[in-house]
Amino acid sequence: LSFGKKVDEELFEELEEALILADVGVDTTYKIIQSLKQKTKEEKIFEASKVRKLLAQEIYEILQKDVEPFVLTSPMVILIVGVNGVGKTTTIGKLAHLYKKQGKSVMMVAADTFRAAAIDQLEVWAKRVNCPIIKHQEGSDPASVVFDGLQSAKARGIDVVICDTAGRLHNKKNLMEELRKIRKVIDREYSEARVETFLVLDATTGQNALQQAKIFKEVADITGIILTKLDGTAKGGIVIAIKEELNLPIRYIGIGEGMEDLQAFDAKSFVSAIFQ
Amino acid sequence: SLSERLQGVFKKLRGKGKLTEKDIKEAMREVKVALLEADVNFKVVKDFINSVTEKALGQEVMESLTPAQQVIKIVHEELIKLMGSVESRLNLGSKVPAVIMMVGLQGSGKTTACGKLANLLKKQGKNPLLVACDTVRPAAIKQLQVLGANINVPVFTMGDKVDTADIAKASIDYAKSHNVDVVIIDTAGRLHIDDELMEELVRIKEAVHPDEILLVADAMTGQDAVNVASSFNERLDITGVILTKLDGDTRGGAALSIKAVTQKPIKYVGIGEKLGDIEPFYPDRMASRILG
Ligand SMILES: Nc1nc2c(ncn2[C@@H]2O[C@H](COP(=O)(O)OP(=O)(O)OP(=O)(O)O)[C@@H](O)[C@H]2O)c(=O)[nH]1
Ligand SMILES: Nc1nc2c(ncn2[C@@H]2O[C@H](COP(=O)(O)OP(=O)(O)OP(=O)(O)O)[C@@H](O)[C@H]2O)c(=O)[nH]1
Ligand SMILES: [Mg+2]
Ligand SMILES: [Mg+2]
């Protein structure tokens, strides 16, 4: 605690360390601290607690700048993408549950046709939240599963279609091309639907998350981020750098493995958690 | 790259003649930034920079015509030393069956790693058995069964309603009566701060006394790697680490963080999703990758 402590270089080093430990990254931390030092000088601030408040405010503004609230409209297609093991399939279960509670009809599309038992895993979630699921055989073309899913959703007047995809590393060109193709199918086959593509990021991931966001954004036109596993000890600070550089809004956070463990992103509580 | 940045630092210092301690400290700041950008933990970086600065203040660097190269050489050597020797051998002990237990956070690659090790051991002439001790994740047992079928390795399961320590114990009895010489136990992903779930791992350990307890960690883990690794190590006294998803483009600083806090060997790395995508850990390759 530094109540009544004076504002000096030691304080800024302490704040810098907190940001680095939260995975904010060297560049973004440097920018934030420089701007903080500037403001502290300009506003003649001499109390450490006031500096901390200013820092929290600064990060809050980065996260909230130009963010339009996420409104669920119908019909909507949500494409869930990200690297391996981040929590895509589990998050789809949580989203379906949330939207059903809001009175929407939801359909799942099992377009991870690659990983062992991926379809089985999504099927368990479909049963848990009681919503229809479109699937093909393991090994079939994911774009064709999406095609079938969209036809079925249109025919049934489904409000929200949520598509699962296989985990894929952003440096695998063929896998990113496959994703581009899936996105094209959605745009072509359901032009009347609003399309949201959420990149799922694991809060334990370090600086590589920024590269993930850059490449996925180029390939699949990412419209939002879902940050999972915030129930652990990782802070997920890399999303600050991602918001700053790519202006991608964080839409939801995952805080556990159950159906209810999803929350709308709240910038204020996210920022205060960084300093706990 | 780090070498370019160091060249830059020493270039502007060249005009002033002899190098001073202050100059070396400036060069070390570049190394610090490079390591932080590579996801090495903040405190691990601090300790590393302190020990390397001491070495860099020696004659090698101070009187060298190519100080940047000397600094890189020292940093590289220190990194390799810290990462340990190539230790890709599993210590399977003398009793039969040998027991390997895989542990780690959610989604790190444990189940896939179980399949990869089973594949490796089978190629080495062993008769492995995969054991499904993840009774919580949807379709986890099915996932292991699909992997086992791909490589013709049997999977022992008692469904998802039986206590995992009991499943582990039963798998040993099954192994003894079925000519199995290595048992590989898959466990559910869990948080290191979940006391109840960490206790479950301790109970499995006490039930079957594994020869190897391997922490499976994602290579793209950031600053949190030290918290995770030290917790798992304190609770279980892990015997080694498998670092996964190194086919990505992460610098992999988590490798240094994990090694520094646990002092346990990184035995293998995952380099893809197929069951053949596993190779021994090479400290020199990892050091180059981290430095970028
Ligand atoms: N603690 C915690 N675990 C989570 C969270 N979200 C997902 N998980 C767990 O993370 C693991 C991986 O989740 P999946 O949904 O299979 O991840 P995925 O991205 O679909 O994985 P792939 O399809 O293999 O790329 C599972 O054990 C989930 O239960 C979260 O918010 N908190
Ligand atoms: N590219 C790549 N993917 C990997 C590697 N190892 C595992 N994966 C993928 O990572 C994802 C998660 O792997 P799992 O084996 O299900 O992870 P887990 O630790 O068992 O997950 P939980 O049981 O939910 O904790 C899957 O999509 C795997 O195919 C690797 O070395 N490289
Ligand atoms: Mg999945
Ligand atoms: Mg698993």
Side-chain angles (χ1 to χ4, degrees):
Chain A
L1 285 181
S2 55
F3 295 116
K5 228 172 126 216
K6 66 186 169 75
V7 177
D8 57 4
E9 195 54 37
E10 195 183 316
L11 173 67
F12 289 113
E13 282 184 3
E14 185 187 324
L15 296 175
E16 180 183 60
E17 178 172 346
L19 294 181
I20 298 280
L21 285 174
D23 285 316
V24 175
V26 175
D27 276 351
T28 306
T29 297
Y30 181 76
K31 287 199 193 94
I32 290 173
I33 297 294
Q34 285 307 107
S35 157
L36 184 67
K37 282 179 174 173
Q38 183 73 10
K39 283 206 190 95
T40 303
K41 222 163 142 197
E42 288 172 1
E43 301 180 23
K44 299 200 172 30
I45 301 194
F46 299 111
E47 264 181 67
S49 57
K50 284 223 172 77
V51 176
R52 284 173 189 279
K53 277 210 181 73
L54 218 63
L55 175 58
Q57 184 60 24
E58 183 159 346
I59 299 174
Y60 174 81
E61 282 168 16
I62 292 174
L63 292 172
Q64 285 302 107
K65 183 161 176 285
D66 301 333
V67 172
E68 300 279 351
F70 176 69
V71 178
L72 203 61
T73 56
S74 179
M76 176 178 275
V77 178
I78 298 179
L79 181 62
I80 299 291
V81 304
V83 303
N84 307 72
V86 295
K88 298 179 291 302
T89 306
T90 307
T91 298
I92 291 173
K94 296 173 182 177
L95 286 171
H97 175 66
L98 176 68
Y99 298 150
K100 283 208 73 178
K101 272 203 297 192
Q102 294 174 4
K104 304 290 181 187
S105 61
V106 183
M107 171 184 278
M108 293 183 184
V109 177
D112 176 356
T113 56
F114 172 75
R115 207 210 67 213
I119 298 168
D120 299 77
Q121 184 186 5
L122 191 64
E123 275 189 292
V124 172
W125 280 106
K127 262 211 199 77
R128 281 181 182 177
V129 306
N130 192 18
C131 81
I133 175 170
I134 299 296
K135 58 177 178 136
H136 286 189
Q137 289 254 21
E138 197 172 292
S140 52
D141 172 34
S144 59
V145 187
V146 172
F147 180 90
D148 276 0
L150 297 180
Q151 304 313 324
S152 177
K154 273 193 276 184
R156 298 165 65 158
I158 298 284
D159 294 318
V160 191
V161 182
I162 313 179
C163 300
D164 194 10
T165 60
R168 67 198 68 224
L169 293 179
H170 50 290
N171 58 324
K172 307 261 167 118
K173 294 215 159 61
N174 57 329
L175 296 182
M176 297 315 276
E177 276 317 300
E178 179 184 83
L179 190 57
R180 206 190 293 270
K181 183 165 157 235
I182 291 173
R183 184 58 215 260
K184 281 211 183 90
V185 169
I186 297 174
D187 292 338
R188 193 186 61 221
E189 295 303 322
Y190 210 164
S191 49
E192 57 271 46
R194 190 169 119 222
V195 182
E196 291 279 342
T197 303
F198 291 148
L199 173 65
V200 180
L201 294 175
D202 187 326
T204 65
T205 304
Q207 299 308 298
N208 195 247
L210 182 56
Q211 189 61 9
Q212 291 173 26
K214 283 191 181 134
I215 305 293
F216 272 92
K217 183 166 187 243
E218 284 171 20
V219 173
D221 185 27
I222 304 294
T223 56
I225 288 177
I226 299 180
L227 186 64
T228 61
K229 308 181 195 172
L230 270 174
D231 45 320
T233 50
K235 308 284 185 174
I238 192 67
V239 298
I240 300 167
I242 292 174
K243 176 67 173 67
E244 249 237 318
E245 285 195 37
L246 305 172
N247 202 25
L248 293 173
I250 301 112
R251 292 308 190 187
Y252 298 99
I253 60 169
I255 50 163
E257 303 188 67
M259 188 145 54
E260 304 277 346
D261 296 327
L262 187 79
Q263 286 176 355
F265 180 69
D266 178 81
K268 276 217 159 62
S269 49
F270 178 78
V271 176
S272 63
I274 289 185
F275 297 105
Q276 272 158 16
Chain B
S1 74
L2 177 61
S3 60
E4 288 166 346
R5 284 194 267 190
L6 285 176
Q7 307 268 7
V9 168
F10 284 113
K11 202 163 174 197
K12 71 172 169 49
L13 296 175
R14 194 155 302 154
K16 10 191 320 279
K18 208 167 188 310
L19 285 175
T20 65
E21 176 164 338
K22 184 160 163 293
D23 299 336
I24 297 299
K25 297 245 160 133
E26 181 162 348
M28 282 304 140
R29 261 198 291 278
E30 291 297 333
V31 178
K32 174 181 170 199
V33 168
L35 293 176
L36 286 176
E37 285 177 343
D39 287 324
V40 181
N41 179 268
F42 189 88
K43 301 192 172 82
V44 173
V45 172
K46 242 186 184 165
D47 295 338
F48 181 81
I49 293 296
N50 285 339
S51 67
V52 174
T53 299
E54 245 178 88
K55 296 211 162 63
L57 289 173
Q59 283 195 336
E60 278 185 328
V61 179
M62 306 298 273
E63 308 194 351
S64 167
L65 290 173
T66 58
Q69 286 183 22
Q70 286 304 317
V71 170
I72 295 258
K73 180 163 161 291
I74 291 172
V75 170
H76 206 255
E77 284 171 358
E78 272 312 291
L79 268 181
I80 293 175
K81 212 193 291 168
L82 259 177
M83 299 256 235
S85 55
V86 178
E87 250 182 273
S88 62
R89 267 174 311 109
L90 292 171
N91 296 326
L92 297 183
S94 51
K95 62 174 163 52
V96 180
V99 182
I100 302 173
M101 185 180 166
M102 309 287 248
V103 301
L105 291 182
Q106 291 90 345
S108 63
K110 297 173 294 300
T111 305
T112 308
C114 285
K116 288 175 177 178
L117 277 190
N119 190 35
L120 206 63
L121 289 165
K122 187 155 189 208
K123 288 205 200 118
Q124 292 173 2
K126 298 278 185 191
N127 193 21
L129 175 71
L130 289 163
V131 181
C133 279
D134 178 351
T135 55
V136 288
R137 168 173 155 153
I141 297 173
K142 176 96 198 279
Q143 184 184 3
L144 197 62
Q145 287 171 326
V146 172
L147 296 183
N150 286 345
I151 51 174
N152 215 357
V153 168
V155 176
F156 182 86
T157 171
M158 291 176 77
D160 61 8
K161 305 275 186 299
V162 178
D163 172 76
T164 50
D166 291 340
I167 299 175
K169 267 197 237 113
S171 77
I172 304 299
D173 296 331
Y174 178 92
K176 287 184 176 154
S177 58
H178 286 79
N179 203 19
V180 165
D181 47 21
V182 194
V183 162
I184 302 170
I185 302 175
D186 186 22
T187 65
R190 69 206 60 219
L191 296 177
H192 51 296
I193 52 173
D194 190 323
D195 285 330
E196 207 181 305
L197 290 186
M198 291 305 283
E199 206 35 51
E200 178 196 19
L201 290 180
V202 174
R203 280 190 288 108
I204 296 176
K205 175 182 180 176
E206 290 174 350
V208 297
H209 307 290
D211 298 277
E212 290 273 3
I213 300 180
L214 301 175
L215 173 65
V216 180
D218 195 322
M220 51 185 122
T221 309
Q223 297 291 308
D224 201 45
V226 296
N227 301 327
V228 178
S230 52
S231 297
F232 274 89
N233 193 34
E234 277 161 31
R235 295 275 201 140
L236 299 168
D237 190 18
I238 63 178
T239 58
V241 179
I242 296 183
L243 208 57
T244 62
K245 308 177 202 173
L246 267 167
D247 45 321
D249 59 8
T250 185
R251 296 261 292 274
L256 180 61
S257 303
I258 293 171
K259 187 74 177 55
V261 300
T262 63
Q263 293 301 323
K264 299 292 166 74
I266 299 174
K267 301 212 171 193
Y268 292 99
V269 298
I271 51 165
E273 294 192 71
K274 302 202 291 302
L275 295 187
D277 296 331
I278 181 171
E279 58 180 37
F281 174 72
Y282 297 111
D284 53 341
R285 286 190 208 169
M286 196 73 223
S288 304
R289 180 175 180 142
I290 289 176
L291 286 181

